Amino acid sequence: MLRRTLALCLLAATPALAEDVTTFQLDNGLEVVVIEDHRAPVVTQMVWYRTGAADEAPGLSGIAHFLEHLMFKGTDTLAPGEFSATVEAQGGNDNAFTSWDYTAYFQRVAADRLDLMMQIESDRMRNLKISEEDITTERAVIIEERKQRTDSSPAALLQEQMRAAQFLNHPYRIPIIGWMHEMEALDRDDALDHYTRFYAPNNAILVVAGDVTPEQVREMAQTHYGPLAPSDAITDRVRPAEPPQIAERRLTLADARVSEPYVLRTYLAPERDPGAQEQAAALTILAELLGGSGQTSLFAQGLQFGVNPVAVYASAYYSGTALDDGTFGLVVVPMPGVDLATAEAAMDDLITTFIDTGPDADDLARIKTQIRASEIYARDNVDGLARRYGEALAVGLTVQDVQDWPNVLEAVTAEQVVEAARDTLNRDRAVTGWLMPEAEAAE
Amino acid sequence: MKMLKLATLLIACALPARAEINIQTVTSPGGITAWLVTEPDIPFTALEIRFRGGTSLDASGKRGAINLMTALIEEGTGDLDSVAFARARDSLAASYSFSADQDSVGVSARFLTENRDQAVDLLRRALTEPRFDVDATERVRGQVLAGLRQDAKDPRTLANQRLREMAFGDHPYATTGDGTIDSVSALTRDDMVTAHLASIARDRIYVAAAGDITAEDLGPMLDTLLGGLPPTGAPLPPRAPMNLTGGITVQDFPGPQATVLFAHEGIKRDDPDFFAASILNEILGGGRFSARLMTEVRDRRGLTYGIGSYLIGYDQAEMLMGQFSSANGTVGQAVEVIRDEWRKIATEGVTEAELEKTKTYLTGNYPLRFDGNGPIAGMLVGMQMIGLSPDYPKTRNAMVEAVTMEDVKRVAATLFREGDLRFVVVGEPEGVTSTD
């Protein structure tokens, strides 16, 4: 077949690692990654802390994210708000984000402003000042954030409930934004405790990407980050582990704001481990085969196409970049008139068949072609590369793991995909959520 | 303080005065013009195409036709049905996306240098000979209808629709280009063919390319790709009215927060005062944390997670519009803060420091946008759509710098009209009621 020949010929050689990456470490433990891209006179600085919502003290859900907001208040030398004002005065943009495994801060500026960015970013690594007034107003902001992003969205509420059911013991069960009743009680001491414990050069990764050389970065980093004292409170990141999961969990959330009911399924799934990314790679390809295309994937073909399609939309998702076991997810939005039980059963039938028969060879070849090409396209977005490296290092992977990843994906066999599906898609370790309009649920 | 001094010093140093990109204009043998930035470092090309008109060209009673038609372009062409087309595209590792908004149908494509000709040929076939198969149409129609049902329960969309209805009279802008449940349900294959002929034609094309392609290669490619399209499409819509009046409109919706849009008339993109207006809007409601609305509503009072305002320029209408969400109990207070800020900037203008800082931000930030083939192609096609010349990236910052305090004062007094602001509040606000 023509298709097959094309797929095999194209991009036959694994691309040599295209991005130009240098790494080193300062004496105080700060890891530094430099990604060169000299096409435009622009640079991005990111600092990733190896701490996130899954590292919070019990009862203080939301503190990692709250602290992220408070990091834009003052230091010994910067007034509240002056951090962002300084970046903006250079024409730059800055922001931050928090996940379960990390908290990251970034600025994007003209390349000749990097030194100033390092000066202010290193300043707030150890010298943050927070007033009681900062706490009061910023706590109101994160409460509004929760109302906007979670409480106003039935889909977000369902996912939050499912996560809490998925993880019986691991702190991934806690929402990053926090539970409302705990957010309302977060105070200055809570924030400063989290800050003092986790924000230090030996718990951070500096990623600099853009029009800059490793030598320049080394010199500036040494000047600004070099003098910072490491923390002696940094320990191995051992979180409470999951016990064996032996019983399927199911829940239904009914809400007047739901228009399209759907079924969401998450399975406990392994993540990428340093030097051992094969299983995660197989799951990554499994997600593509099941739900990666609206036309050719197994779910599209089995649920959305045909004479009597079951679903309006169906997909699968998985991201293996995490410190501990995460989830593999499936979603099916049924056609009007098709109930959730029918849609769910059709989805499960497809999975059973897939495990019996394995993937189509052409489908697998096409996905690998796209993965190889995505490495070329990825080079167009140096910020994206900065995030790729920063995130991986923040969850305990190495630069080598990042650079091996395309080859590990390339090497995945049909048998490994089936094995990963058989191991992971086990309903004893799954949560199934139904999102429904209120009236339908009451019937 | 030490930090402040340092920051001030650096401002005095030379900022990159302009975006360092070299835009060529390429005209094909067949007469199609494109803007090009050649950047051979990475072996792929980003291509952006716009057809002016978009969903505003829907025929009477056929609202949603152009949107549905656009979604069907990737669902098969010639002897390829939707699955065969997707397989062919994915085997080339090319990506094409098709979208429609009120002013244009858009095509965003990227393809590798090694199979460029095949990728362009496949895109040509999709654009010029879409199949509009019955089964694909029903599948995609189902997705559009699901989206419409979701919109009916989305407070942001509800607020937007309410505002459009009030603003734009019987112009197409008054309703969503996605159509209604009834109009989309009734669309036929003939409607798809008509919508395709109306909206995808050579008399309304704008093209930009960036990446690993030369002018010599791009010229003939334009004819290959677009030369087979019909020469003319449907007439473009007229200027839209602006019927917004000052006041508050409340629409009941359950939830912990109220979602608010606020707007009045804006300013034309080619108005000599446009840059002054841009600077003013950046000071008042820009996305930066130090913008006035962000400072007053979020940082000082904790009434919202985020607030911003925007100068919106459609082809046939302009608005100055803002948005935020706030708890039902505090939304009334937030509305009053916005009204105060609106009056304040109109009567008192801005400070010298604000003006200078904002100019520095806007001029310093501009070159940062040209970072990558994808973003550059997108910027270039956008510039053509609003009638700018290819040297704009080199002159734009000088136009920002040229804005004086007198300009800003004069424009602020007429641009910001607190009495004309219409607030659309979707939620269960306490102490806020409709005024008319």
Side-chain angles (χ1 to χ4, degrees):
Chain A
M1 271 166 59
L2 176 68
R3 281 198 307 275
R4 185 163 199 174
T5 320
L6 267 178
L8 289 177
C9 294
L10 283 170
L11 296 155
T14 304
L17 185 74
E19 64 261 20
D20 205 347
V21 178
T22 310
T23 58
F24 54 90
Q25 191 165 29
L26 301 188
D27 290 343
N28 60 11
L30 181 72
E31 275 194 67
V32 185
V33 179
V34 184
I35 305 168
E36 290 181 74
D37 179 356
H38 300 286
R39 293 180 299 159
V42 177
V43 72
T44 295
Q45 169 178 245
M46 308 191 82
V47 168
W48 296 71
Y49 293 97
R50 290 191 175 93
T51 185
D55 302 300
E56 293 165 337
L60 300 182
S61 64
I63 193 66
H65 169 257
F66 189 25
L67 175 62
E68 177 226 295
H69 278 233
L70 294 167
M71 284 285 281
F72 293 85
K73 303 302 180 186
T75 68
D76 294 338
T77 51
L78 278 181
E82 203 181 340
F83 187 98
S84 292
T86 304
V87 180
E88 289 158 10
Q90 305 302 319
N93 294 109
D94 70 321
N95 216 323
F97 48 90
T98 306
S99 184
W100 283 278
D101 291 330
Y102 49 78
T103 314
Y105 301 81
F106 65 92
Q107 305 86 36
R108 232 175 95 65
V109 290
D112 58 358
R113 310 302 146 86
L114 179 60
D115 189 78
L116 177 63
M117 296 303 109
M118 284 206 191
Q119 184 184 330
I120 59 179
E121 190 62 86
S122 63
D123 181 36
R124 68 175 172 177
M125 187 176 280
R126 295 302 256 168
N127 302 322
L128 187 67
K129 288 277 175 289
I130 310 171
S131 70
E132 285 296 346
E133 197 196 335
D134 294 335
I135 292 289
T136 309
T137 52
E138 204 60 33
R139 193 169 50 212
V141 169
I142 58 167
I143 285 169
E144 287 304 312
E145 184 179 356
R146 186 187 154 90
K147 285 178 184 164
Q148 183 177 326
R149 292 183 155 183
T150 306
D151 299 326
S152 296
S153 163
L157 287 168
L158 175 67
Q159 284 180 44
E160 188 176 82
Q161 293 288 311
M162 285 178 67
R163 236 187 135 80
Q166 177 75 71
F167 295 96
L168 302 170
N169 195 42
H170 191 283
Y172 283 164
R173 67 205 316 276
I174 295 166
I176 296 167
I177 187 79
W179 298 114
M180 185 67 97
H181 66 286
E182 293 185 352
M183 294 170 72
E184 286 165 345
L186 295 176
D187 65 19
R188 183 170 174 272
D189 286 346
D190 299 332
L192 287 175
D193 285 350
H194 191 85
Y195 175 71
T196 331
R197 177 164 171 211
F198 292 116
Y199 280 49
N202 53 329
N203 202 37
I205 303 127
L206 169 67
V207 184
V208 180
D211 188 17
V212 66
T213 66
E215 295 69 33
Q216 291 169 320
V217 172
R218 185 189 293 272
E219 198 182 321
M220 282 185 252
Q222 192 59 53
T223 303
H224 297 298
Y225 293 96
L228 299 178
S231 162
D232 53 14
I234 306 301
T235 52
D236 285 346
R237 299 175 79 183
V238 181
R239 283 98 167 242
E242 281 299 297
Q245 297 201 354
I246 55 170
E248 179 180 9
R249 280 134 281 160
R250 304 187 64 86
L251 46 91
T252 300
L253 190 142
D255 191 305
R257 297 167 294 182
V258 173
S259 75
E260 302 305 290
Y262 60 75
V263 54
L264 197 58
R265 165 88 56 77
T266 60
Y267 303 88
L268 193 66
E271 85 292 3
R272 292 164 68 185
D273 285 319
Q277 307 184 86
E278 290 76 11
Q279 209 177 358
L283 288 170
T284 301
I285 291 190
L286 175 64
E288 283 297 316
L289 286 163
L290 292 182
S293 159
Q295 280 89 16
T296 60
S297 69
L298 193 75
F299 277 12
Q301 283 292 302
L303 301 173
Q304 295 176 244
F305 279 65
V307 187
N308 285 311
V310 173
V312 174
Y313 173 81
S315 191
Y317 53 95
Y318 168 76
S319 167
T321 311
L323 189 64
D324 299 311
D325 284 358
T327 58
F328 187 101
L330 306 173
V331 59
V332 179
V333 184
M335 294 283 282
V338 174
D339 62 33
L340 289 172
T342 306
E344 186 184 339
M347 174 183 91
D348 281 322
D349 285 349
L350 281 177
I351 291 169
T352 306
T353 310
F354 177 82
I355 289 174
D356 284 346
T357 60
D360 177 85
D362 283 348
D363 288 347
L364 186 57
R366 222 170 35 243
I367 286 168
K368 288 189 179 179
T369 300
Q370 290 181 278
I371 288 170
R372 286 191 291 273
S374 73
E375 292 303 302
I376 294 174
Y377 294 129
R379 286 172 53 206
D380 197 37
N381 179 359
V382 73
D383 279 7
L385 291 177
R387 282 178 188 241
R388 180 189 290 188
Y389 279 88
E391 182 182 35
L393 267 60
V395 304
L397 295 167
T398 65
V399 168
Q400 192 62 50
D401 292 321
V402 177
Q403 300 185 342
D404 287 346
W405 181 240
N407 292 333
V408 178
L409 287 169
E410 175 68 34
V412 170
T413 64
E415 292 69 33
Q416 288 170 327
V417 174
V418 171
E419 195 185 320
R422 194 181 290 120
D423 289 348
T424 301
L425 307 185
N426 175 344
R427 285 173 60 171
D428 287 346
R429 296 194 293 270
V431 182
T432 305
W434 285 12
L435 185 67
M436 304 182 83
E438 235 156 27
E440 211 171 305
E443 279 166 14
Chain B
M1 280 192 312
K2 190 177 149 216
M3 285 308 305
L4 267 177
K5 260 187 196 158
L6 182 55
T8 314
L9 271 178
L10 273 163
I11 292 168
C13 302
L15 280 165
R18 58 196 194 198
E20 294 178 18
I21 63 162
N22 180 23
I23 300 174
Q24 303 176 69
T25 54
V26 177
T27 302
S28 72
I32 298 168
T33 299
W35 292 12
L36 167 66
V37 171
T38 298
E39 169 55 76
D41 270 13
I42 310 175
F44 84 99
T45 301
L47 182 71
E48 293 286 341
I49 305 167
R50 299 290 179 276
F51 298 93
R52 190 186 296 281
T55 62
S56 296
L57 302 176
D58 275 336
S60 171
K62 305 292 183 187
R63 200 60 171 141
I66 284 168
N67 178 63
L68 181 59
M69 180 280 295
T70 306
L72 288 169
I73 296 175
E74 65 169 355
E75 295 288 344
T77 171
D79 59 347
L80 301 173
D81 66 9
S82 55
V83 172
F85 177 78
R87 284 180 178 150
R89 177 198 61 208
D90 295 350
S91 298
L92 295 167
S95 80
Y96 316 127
S97 76
F98 306 95
S99 60
D101 65 24
Q102 60 271 50
D103 289 326
S104 67
V105 169
V107 180
S108 301
R110 56 180 193 183
F111 37 81
L112 301 170
T113 303
E114 67 182 60
N115 58 29
R116 183 202 293 154
D117 289 348
Q118 292 157 281
V120 167
D121 187 59
L122 189 62
L123 178 59
R124 173 192 67 76
R125 295 170 67 187
L127 263 182
T128 52
E129 311 157 8
R131 279 165 59 123
F132 302 132
D133 283 338
V134 171
D135 56 348
T137 304
E138 290 316 308
R139 178 164 39 81
V140 176
R141 188 203 310 268
Q143 292 165 348
V144 172
L145 292 173
L148 288 172
R149 289 190 296 268
Q150 281 176 331
D151 286 348
K153 295 197 172 184
D154 175 56
R156 181 79 192 270
T157 309
L158 290 172
N160 206 316
Q161 288 178 353
R162 202 67 191 270
L163 195 72
R164 285 166 167 277
E165 281 165 25
M166 285 189 280
F168 296 125
D170 57 2
H171 194 275
Y173 289 172
T175 58
T176 167
D178 293 351
T180 65
I181 300 276
D182 286 346
S183 72
V184 172
S185 299
L187 292 171
T188 65
R189 186 175 189 283
D190 281 351
D191 294 331
M192 297 298 93
V193 173
T194 307
H196 185 250
L197 288 169
S199 60
I200 298 187
R202 288 208 310 274
D203 62 347
R204 58 202 59 212
I205 293 183
Y206 301 83
V207 185
D212 186 23
I213 186 165
T214 62
E216 290 68 37
D217 287 339
L218 179 61
M221 193 185 98
L222 294 172
D223 286 341
T224 307
L225 182 60
L226 304 165
L229 292 173
T232 56
L236 295 172
R239 182 94 187 134
M242 173 45 72
N243 298 339
L244 276 185
T245 55
I248 296 177
T249 304
V250 176
Q251 183 164 335
D252 195 55
F253 191 81
Q257 278 186 327
T259 300
V260 183
L261 289 184
F262 49 100
H264 61 47
E265 188 164 29
I267 182 168
K268 284 189 176 174
R269 184 64 186 69
D270 57 3
D271 190 300
D273 285 328
F274 179 79
F275 283 99
S278 288
I279 290 174
L280 280 161
N281 180 64
E282 188 60 42
I283 292 171
L284 182 73
R288 299 160 307 128
F289 286 110
S290 54
R292 285 185 179 186
L293 291 180
M294 216 45 176
T295 303
E296 295 301 325
V297 185
R298 172 175 157 147
D299 280 4
R300 295 230 166 109
R301 295 178 178 83
L303 302 179
T304 188
Y305 172 54
I307 180 165
S309 63
Y310 318 90
L311 284 172
I312 295 179
Y314 298 132
D315 276 1
Q316 305 296 349
E318 297 77 34
M319 283 206 286
L320 172 53
M321 183 159 98
Q323 63 82 31
F324 69 99
S325 300
S326 184
N328 284 311
T330 54
V331 66
Q333 188 193 347
V335 167
E336 286 315 308
V337 174
I338 292 163
R339 286 192 186 283
D340 284 346
E341 289 301 319
W342 227 260
R343 279 191 295 265
K344 196 174 140 201
I345 199 164
T347 54
E348 298 170 25
V350 304
T351 66
E352 284 288 353
E354 279 178 314
L355 178 58
E356 284 317 306
K357 270 188 201 165
T358 306
K359 281 186 184 178
T360 313
Y361 170 71
L362 289 173
T363 53
N365 191 250
Y366 189 61
L368 308 192
R369 300 189 207 165
F370 295 85
D371 67 326
N373 300 334
I376 288 173
M379 301 258 306
L380 263 49
V381 82
M383 282 181 219
Q384 293 174 68
M385 284 288 287
I386 55 176
L388 302 175
S389 73
D391 68 350
Y392 179 77
K394 294 182 172 155
T395 59
R396 180 263 193 192
N397 275 359
M399 292 189 272
V400 174
E401 294 291 358
V403 174
T404 65
M405 190 53 133
E406 290 70 52
D407 295 334
V408 164
K409 270 206 175 103
R410 174 173 47 78
V411 174
T414 55
L415 180 66
F416 297 97
R417 301 185 301 274
E418 184 263 322
D420 288 349
L421 268 184
R422 170 62 56 166
F423 290 83
V424 178
V425 183
V426 177
E428 300 169 313
E430 293 162 26
V432 179
T433 50
S434 294
T435 53
D436 47 17

